[in-house]
Amino acid sequence: MTSAEQKRALREAAEAQQQAAVTVTAPAFVPACPGAGKTYVITSRHLQSPRRLLRKGRALISFTRVARDQMTRRCRQAGRADLVQAPHFIGTLDSFLWEFLVKPLRKADPVPRLLESWASVKALVEGVDREISLHRFHMTLDPSHNSAHGKVAWDKLDYDTRQLIDASSCSRSVWEEKILATRKSWCEQGYFTGHEVRAVALWNLRNAEAAAALLPPLQSRFAEIIVDEAQDCSAADLAILQLLHDAGLPLVLVGDPDQAIYAWRGAEPQALGAFAARLSPTPHRLTGNWRSSPVICRLAATLRTGQRPPDTSVMRDDNIPVLLLPTLFAATGSRHIHAPTGTGIVDAFRTLTEEYAVPAQDCLVTAYKYATLPGISREKPNTNAITSLAWARTVAHTPGASGDDLARACAIAVRALFG
């Protein structure tokens, strides 16, 4: 078999996997490797819906607005604007829980509002020896306890907040009491974040009277619920999905158990496996990677648990290697040196890209936090409001300032001027 024939066979096998996932009967679990075309599969499944007006629709749920917008855009581009309207639903998990499991039972006054974060409002924890913004405190929710609040995740505090708490004369139990009281006060004013939404949704589904009011409309409206990037589900999310499954709502979970970007929020990819096994004993795997080279696929296989073979590179056959560049950090300043050559690490990177004929538009250089990259000097602004504002003005008037620098300067200016 020639190389072209092999690639065609690999592509046909990957397309067959996608088609099987498109048509699989719910409930089902579709574990998908990176670059497997998860969004394509989900949208294709949705596009199979008949054009006639349906009594029941499908809910496409994601964790980000970017994924939500991508699915919506693909439906519109296919000429199926009807698939983004009722009885269908395309949105984030937060908005789904809010619209169908929380908001219907909330009082109209005060008007209930869903916030992305407590940073959206000036919510301060007060009554202790210092004020700290509420959004600095992440919360955990144990689904085994029917609690409307949860607990403070003290191990998730950032460095600055931890320093403030450690320097406080008040104990953590006092701080936790004030934090919970502050959250309760804002909820009573009608404000909720994703954490409170999950707590209330769980309570509502476990309460017979509330569930009797919420579940029939859901069962009547949705013939299927698809959850994208299911590996980012927290224990509370999985508990909610389990209750929906028990109520007879067909679920299709799509995700990669080897990835999780919301670990700080309690994502539990391992727990997903146990839940998925109850949904579908035989998963419908997507192992064809349409994005990465064979080298990347082999490298990724060495980083994940278990003994699964590398994913199949479907479209690319280049063999540009993965190279590690040993780095030295200068004693003063933040210039990074390529250890073997003594040149700047970015210069060494550019030399390698030229050697492998990688065009500049395909290159990406990133840095941890505010480490300096080629360009203007990026000094950390002073915490004093006036000094911070002066720093922001300097950046804004510096020729050649990058978009990231300008965005950070604007954010600091807004914070200093408007609190």
Side-chain angles (χ1 to χ4, degrees):
M1 185 180 292
T2 65
S3 175
E5 290 173 335
Q6 288 177 338
K7 296 302 291 184
R8 184 167 61 251
L10 293 175
R11 187 164 56 250
E12 290 174 352
E15 290 172 345
Q17 287 182 339
Q18 290 181 332
Q19 187 57 34
V22 168
T23 57
V24 64
T25 302
F29 175 48
V30 182
C33 72
K38 295 188 294 292
T39 305
Y40 168 79
V41 167
I42 292 171
T43 309
S44 297
R45 187 178 180 91
H46 196 37
L47 287 171
Q48 288 188 338
S49 303
R51 289 183 177 272
R52 67 179 183 277
L53 185 63
L54 299 174
R55 178 172 177 268
K56 285 193 172 185
R58 178 183 284 110
L60 307 186
I61 300 173
S62 63
F63 278 86
T64 66
R65 288 178 295 177
V66 172
R68 174 202 66 189
D69 294 343
Q70 186 178 13
M71 291 187 287
T72 299
R73 183 168 59 254
R74 290 191 179 186
C75 289
R76 293 188 184 279
Q77 289 174 344
R80 297 297 306 276
D82 59 300
L83 295 180
V84 303
Q85 302 168 358
H88 305 290
F89 173 88
I90 302 179
T92 64
L93 180 59
D94 283 9
S95 61
F96 177 84
L97 300 179
W98 175 251
E99 290 295 333
F100 300 107
L101 297 178
V102 176
K103 191 177 177 181
L105 299 184
R106 299 302 304 174
K107 297 178 180 179
D109 185 26
V111 177
R113 298 177 178 88
L114 176 61
L115 306 175
E116 286 191 20
S117 163
W118 289 118
S120 304
V121 293
K122 196 172 183 178
L124 297 175
V125 180
E126 301 172 314
V128 278
D129 58 354
R130 61 200 62 203
E131 294 181 351
I132 301 180
S133 297
L134 183 58
H135 75 273
R136 288 176 173 268
F137 300 98
H138 295 299
M139 304 290 291
T140 59
L141 184 63
D142 185 351
S144 64
H145 295 85
N146 200 10
S147 170
H149 301 289
K151 296 181 178 180
V152 177
W154 294 107
D155 59 327
K156 299 293 194 300
L157 295 182
D158 60 48
Y159 176 80
D160 291 337
T161 307
R162 188 166 60 252
Q163 291 291 97
L164 289 171
I165 294 297
D166 290 344
S168 171
S169 61
C170 299
S171 66
R172 288 195 172 186
S173 60
V174 172
W175 272 100
E176 181 144 12
E177 179 183 346
K178 295 297 183 182
I179 292 166
L180 295 178
T182 303
R183 282 179 170 266
K184 182 179 179 181
S185 173
W186 280 92
C187 289
E188 289 172 349
Q189 297 176 59
Y191 294 93
F192 294 80
T193 69
H195 172 81
E196 289 76 30
V197 164
R198 283 161 173 77
V200 175
L202 263 176
W203 191 92
N204 285 343
L205 288 175
R206 288 169 171 170
N207 179 277
E209 183 178 352
L214 293 171
L215 288 175
L218 274 175
Q219 294 162 333
S220 176
R221 176 167 175 172
F222 296 117
E224 181 175 278
I225 296 175
I226 302 179
V227 181
D228 187 20
E229 303 293 0
Q231 76 276 356
D232 288 319
C233 287
S234 66
D237 296 333
L238 293 176
I240 292 171
L241 293 176
Q242 178 68 64
L243 290 167
L244 294 178
H245 171 67
D246 294 342
L249 285 159
L251 301 180
V252 177
L253 305 187
V254 183
D256 182 358
D258 292 316
Q259 298 186 70
I261 64 172
Y262 291 123
W264 58 271
R265 200 178 64 183
E268 295 191 3
Q270 297 80 7
L272 171 65
F275 177 56
R278 294 194 295 271
L279 281 184
S280 173
T282 306
H284 296 263
R285 296 189 178 277
L286 299 179
T287 60
N289 190 320
W290 298 77
R291 182 172 62 216
S292 301
S293 69
V295 173
I296 298 296
C297 289
R298 290 196 295 270
L299 174 64
T302 68
L303 301 176
R304 59 191 179 198
T305 57
Q307 301 296 321
R308 283 198 292 119
D311 304 318
T312 302
S313 178
V314 178
M315 295 298 292
R316 298 180 56 174
D317 55 8
D318 57 83
N319 282 301
I320 296 177
V322 174
L323 302 176
L324 301 180
L325 304 181
T327 306
L328 295 177
F329 297 88
T332 59
S334 55
R335 181 171 173 77
H336 302 164
I337 304 300
H338 183 225
T341 64
T343 60
I345 193 69
V346 176
D347 294 329
F349 171 74
R350 287 171 173 164
T351 300
L352 284 169
T353 60
E354 291 173 1
E355 180 181 338
Y356 287 100
V358 179
Q361 61 268 26
D362 290 339
C363 296
L364 175 67
V365 179
T366 63
Y368 178 65
K369 289 189 176 180
Y370 299 124
T372 301
L373 290 176
I376 67 170
S377 175
R378 185 200 288 259
E379 297 179 4
K380 188 174 181 180
N382 192 289
T383 54
N384 178 275
I386 297 300
T387 308
S388 297
L389 192 58
W391 179 89
R393 182 191 183 282
T394 300
V395 172
H397 288 79
T398 299
S402 69
D404 286 344
D405 289 310
L406 292 172
R408 185 165 177 245
C410 290
I412 288 172
V414 169
R415 211 158 43 233
L417 293 172
F418 299 106

